[in-house]
Amino acid sequence: MEFNKELAIKHTPISGLYIYDLKVINDNRGWFKENYQAAKILALQDLNNFKIVQNNISFNEKKGTVRGLHAEPYNKFVSIAKGKVLGVWVDLREGSQTYGKVHTEILDPSKAAFIPRGLANGQQALEDETIYTYLVDDHWSPNTKYSLINPADPALGIVWPIPIKINGEWNPNAPISDQDKAHPFLKDVLPIKAKKTLVIGSNGQLGKAITKYVQNHGLNLENYLFCDISNTDITFDITAIDDYVKIDWKNLATVINCAAFTSVDLVETDQGTVDAWKTNSFGVELLVKQCNKHNITLVHVSTDYVFNGLHQEHLESEPFSPLGVYGQSKAAGDLLVLTCDKHYILRTSWLIGDGNNFVNTMVKLGVSDKPIHVINDQFGRLTFTSTLADAIFHLLNQKSPYGIYNCSNSGKIVSWFEIAQEIFKLKGFDLKKCLPISTNDYANNLLKLGQKISKRPTHSAFILAKLEHTDFKIPTWEEQLKDYLREAH
């Protein structure tokens, strides 16, 4: 064992498998080491929010003893308290580019290894009375599915310092359990499946765009779960505590929350207020708790309504100033998501997708002979759900820093009236039928009919620099509008 080495990390040919040099200090009494000092270890390499829940120790009485090879669906940090071992790891992660690859290292108390989920782990004691210790981020469970592989599989090509087989027979000088002897060879192993992505609110405009993205990009549908309050394989309501038992949270990597109560005017009624706070805040709180508990990345969608609209363009860091119940309930939800260890908040506005939206309404009204009045003193940009879905997967795939990202289409900042005019031009409708109206006059006209509308922010446009700095190319709303009208109408 080498003493007084500085803490260092070595990347291996298997993605996510890291070997560490640990600093061991010795004197006439023996030695001391910091076996796992989180701040120092994580400064060398992010370990995907490794949260230790258990410490296990195995004692190998005799030199030559073999344990493994076992692949668990959780992460490990292994080290040696006494003696020396050959550490052996095999990649059994389904779809991994290094599937079946083997890596070995001699470990003593001055060495440690981080073993990611899905790598088979094993060791052979190279000294008597070896003590092997490991930290894990999940508890063992009899219901958990493990992958096991035979340490004598010739396809692995493992060179055991003390041969585990001699002339085809198990070597008594390399003790191994009967269970480990019976493990399958690599060709028959069941890989550790990738964790899944849960899409909540999959029937809505954004949920449909997420589904379409998965299909269009050839992603494995088995790795996605789509749910909504009805008409999906999994019926799930984020506000219903009993529904949470339907989800296998341990096997989720990401939750994309497209669910929200978005009836901006309805929320100003007594029941609407209750429903908005229940979905946009209480349900989000339940999601955050599950995501923190199971180390899940939460993707959440926010809105321009969390601002009063006094600034012509909004930064991610602008303080909340909602004008109505909808914005208040969404702002509360955003604050809850900020307490999630791994989160992306995509703040968007003027959403257009497959469903009821401004563009579809203008097309329907444009074919009639009646004039329509469109507000001309609220300003922003459209956000097409295809762009928002692209941005979500871009941030996830690039492993961009967690946090808030403004996301709308780029292009000219315009009023609803100017957008309506552009739709009329593209569809060949009579522009004379599209008339401007102020927000106040529009609201007063509705009041005369016994209807009340919520206050809207005057300015809803975002500064998009933070998202653009992740190398995401944002199409303009003008070009997206042309594509949308061509495909949907």
Side-chain angles (χ1 to χ4, degrees):
M1 174 170 48
E2 185 180 347
F3 295 105
N4 297 311
K5 294 183 295 183
E6 292 303 315
L7 179 66
I9 187 173
K10 180 178 81 172
H11 292 245
T12 72
I14 298 178
S15 173
L17 174 63
Y18 308 117
I19 306 299
Y20 295 87
D21 282 332
L22 303 180
K23 187 172 185 177
V24 182
I25 302 170
N26 70 316
D27 60 20
N28 61 342
R29 298 168 296 176
W31 55 260
F32 169 83
K33 67 171 176 172
E34 287 182 341
N35 202 48
Y36 181 86
Q37 209 274 20
K40 295 177 182 178
I41 292 289
L42 297 178
L44 297 175
Q45 176 65 49
D46 176 31
L47 298 182
N48 194 27
N49 204 31
F50 182 52
K51 290 184 175 181
I52 299 161
V53 299
Q54 190 167 319
N55 182 22
N56 301 324
I57 297 174
S58 65
F59 172 71
N60 299 315
E61 185 174 1
K62 294 184 179 297
K63 176 182 178 179
T65 299
V66 173
R67 293 178 183 265
L69 301 160
H70 312 144
E72 290 92 0
Y74 45 78
N75 303 302
K76 290 183 175 183
F77 186 90
V78 304
S79 56
I80 308 302
K82 183 178 183 292
K84 184 165 60 176
V85 306
L86 175 74
V88 179
W89 303 284
V90 184
D91 190 349
L92 297 183
R93 296 172 293 191
E94 185 176 61
S96 170
Q97 293 182 347
T98 54
Y99 182 81
K101 190 174 184 63
V102 178
H103 186 76
T104 63
E105 291 274 349
I106 300 294
L107 301 182
D108 61 27
S110 70
K111 293 276 190 178
F114 178 79
I115 305 156
R117 176 185 185 273
L119 262 60
N121 174 60
Q123 78 267 7
Q124 183 176 54
L126 303 181
E127 297 179 5
D128 290 338
E129 298 184 344
T130 296
I131 300 175
Y132 178 96
T133 178
Y134 49 102
L135 307 170
V136 296
D137 60 3
D138 197 4
H139 300 288
W140 179 87
S141 167
N143 299 320
T144 300
K145 294 181 180 179
Y146 301 87
S147 286
L148 310 168
I149 188 168
N150 197 300
D153 184 354
L156 301 178
I158 301 169
V159 180
W160 298 97
I162 297 135
I164 61 176
K165 274 192 170 183
I166 299 176
N167 297 325
E169 301 294 329
W170 293 100
N171 182 2
N173 292 320
I176 183 172
S177 71
D178 290 337
Q179 294 95 323
D180 287 350
K181 290 178 183 178
H183 293 338
F185 284 3
L186 179 62
K187 64 182 180 64
D188 298 317
V189 163
L190 293 175
I192 293 286
K193 291 186 176 294
K195 286 191 173 185
K196 298 178 183 291
T197 294
L198 176 68
V199 181
I200 301 173
S202 59
N203 290 338
Q205 290 190 89
L206 178 57
K208 291 175 182 176
I210 296 290
T211 304
K212 189 174 182 179
Y213 181 99
V214 172
Q215 294 169 340
N216 289 349
H217 287 77
L219 303 182
N220 188 349
L221 281 171
E222 291 185 0
N223 293 334
Y224 291 84
L225 299 171
F226 299 94
C227 66
D228 211 314
I229 56 175
S230 63
N231 299 323
T232 51
D233 291 337
I234 302 175
T235 301
F236 180 76
D237 180 350
I238 65 169
T239 71
I241 295 174
D242 291 345
D243 278 3
Y244 281 73
V245 298
K246 299 178 181 179
I247 307 298
D248 182 7
W249 298 96
K250 281 188 176 183
N251 283 316
L252 294 182
T254 306
V255 169
I256 301 176
N257 179 32
C258 307
F261 193 91
T262 59
S263 298
V264 177
D265 299 324
L266 183 61
V267 301
E268 298 296 335
T269 65
D270 290 343
Q271 186 57 48
T273 298
V274 172
D275 292 337
W277 280 94
K278 187 177 180 182
T279 300
N280 299 337
S281 301
F282 175 68
V284 173
E285 179 186 15
L286 297 179
L287 280 181
V288 168
K289 286 180 179 178
Q290 290 297 330
C291 290
N292 277 337
K293 181 178 179 180
H294 297 288
N295 195 24
I296 297 168
T297 297
L298 175 60
V299 179
H300 182 73
V301 180
S302 181
T303 173
D304 56 306
Y305 277 73
V306 300
F307 302 129
N308 58 21
L310 297 182
H311 296 289
Q312 290 188 358
E313 292 183 87
H314 304 286
L315 276 169
E316 287 86 356
S317 58
E318 182 179 329
F320 291 139
S321 53
L323 296 173
V325 172
Y326 171 65
Q328 292 162 5
S329 65
K330 288 293 290 182
D334 287 5
L335 291 172
L336 288 163
V337 175
L338 289 173
T339 69
C340 188
D341 294 332
K342 299 162 64 176
H343 69 266
Y344 294 105
I345 297 176
L346 284 89
R347 186 161 290 140
T348 192
S349 64
W350 297 16
L351 199 65
I352 307 296
D354 180 2
N356 295 323
N357 59 63
F358 178 80
V359 174
N360 288 340
T361 299
M362 291 300 103
V363 171
K364 290 176 184 177
L365 295 175
V367 298
S368 72
D369 295 328
K370 296 179 180 179
I372 62 169
H373 293 82
V374 185
I375 290 173
N376 68 347
D377 56 359
Q378 294 174 23
F379 305 93
R381 301 186 186 99
L382 297 179
T383 307
F384 287 86
T385 54
S386 57
T387 299
L388 185 53
D390 287 349
I392 288 170
F393 281 96
H394 172 81
L395 294 174
L396 290 170
N397 294 337
Q398 297 295 319
K399 294 182 168 50
S400 299
Y402 297 121
I404 304 172
Y405 292 84
N406 288 338
C407 182
S408 71
N409 283 96
S410 61
K412 186 180 179 181
I413 298 172
V414 292
S415 68
W416 287 114
F417 172 66
E418 291 171 285
I419 294 173
Q421 284 188 311
E422 186 65 21
I423 295 168
F424 270 52
K425 288 177 186 177
L426 292 170
K427 294 298 295 180
F429 299 148
D430 184 358
L431 280 172
K432 295 177 183 178
K433 294 191 307 179
C434 185
L435 305 173
I437 189 172
S438 70
T439 299
N440 284 339
D441 287 346
Y442 186 82
N444 288 333
N445 288 343
L446 288 179
L447 278 175
K448 293 174 183 176
L449 299 173
Q451 300 176 35
K452 182 181 178 182
I453 64 171
S454 175
K455 290 183 179 180
R456 265 78 166 167
T458 300
H459 298 283
S460 294
F462 296 122
I463 296 171
L464 302 171
K466 184 176 179 180
L467 181 59
E468 290 173 327
H469 287 161
T470 69
D471 293 327
F472 181 67
K473 307 302 179 186
I474 308 175
T476 66
W477 68 264
E478 292 94 335
E479 59 185 306
Q480 288 289 94
L481 177 61
K482 292 176 184 177
D483 292 340
Y484 182 83
L485 290 173
R486 184 167 52 249
E487 294 172 8
H489 298 281

